[in-house]
Amino acid sequence: MSKPATLPRIQYRVVGQDDYMLNIDVAEDGSFIIDAGDYTSHKPVHGAVSPAQMEELGALLAALGEPAEHPAPEDANGFTAELTVGNGPAVRHWRFWEGAMDQVPELSRLVRALEVLG
């Protein structure tokens, strides 16, 4: 019998204008919680990634380069985000302005895959 697929823990957090926030937390077993909102309250969405999504996320994580920061230009409006992959000493962390995702297509593809989980 084969071992079920696992992922490193994935935490994606966005803070934006008008009190907007998005938190996506995917556990090693594929269970996830998505908590999004603005000035209103929303119940968090709970779920589990499918085997196909698990495979896709694994491939997207493998394609990421080394963590790097992509700060917003001084005059930029918009959202800042953080992506944390793994736990403990193997943790990798990216901090970026969402406008910079066009410069890092691998990061953009992973973020889009996370955003459609719920």
Side-chain angles (χ1 to χ4, degrees):
M1 182 163 53
S2 66
K3 179 181 168 186
T6 61
L7 292 168
R9 182 174 182 192
I10 305 169
Q11 296 172 289
Y12 176 61
R13 309 226 186 292
V14 179
V15 177
Q17 298 171 330
D18 300 323
D19 296 327
Y20 175 82
M21 60 74 114
L22 170 67
N23 292 322
I24 301 174
D25 194 342
V26 181
E28 292 87 347
D29 66 358
S31 61
F32 65 80
I33 299 172
I34 299 174
D35 189 9
D38 46 27
Y39 57 88
T40 62
S41 296
H42 302 277
K43 286 188 174 187
V45 174
H46 297 261
V49 298
S50 69
Q53 288 170 318
M54 182 86 75
E55 187 175 316
E56 177 188 19
L57 289 172
L60 291 168
L61 288 169
L64 283 179
E66 288 300 311
E69 292 202 16
H70 300 279
E74 284 188 35
D75 61 342
N77 292 325
F79 299 74
T80 57
E82 292 185 40
L83 173 69
T84 304
V85 177
N87 285 317
V91 72
R92 297 174 11 183
H93 187 80
W94 290 259
R95 185 175 312 209
F96 54 95
W97 170 57
E98 283 198 318
M101 284 200 310
D102 290 341
Q103 300 168 14
V104 189
E106 299 82 10
L107 182 59
S108 180
R109 284 191 287 274
L110 175 62
V111 166
R112 298 299 169 235
L114 292 170
E115 289 176 339
V116 299
L117 289 179

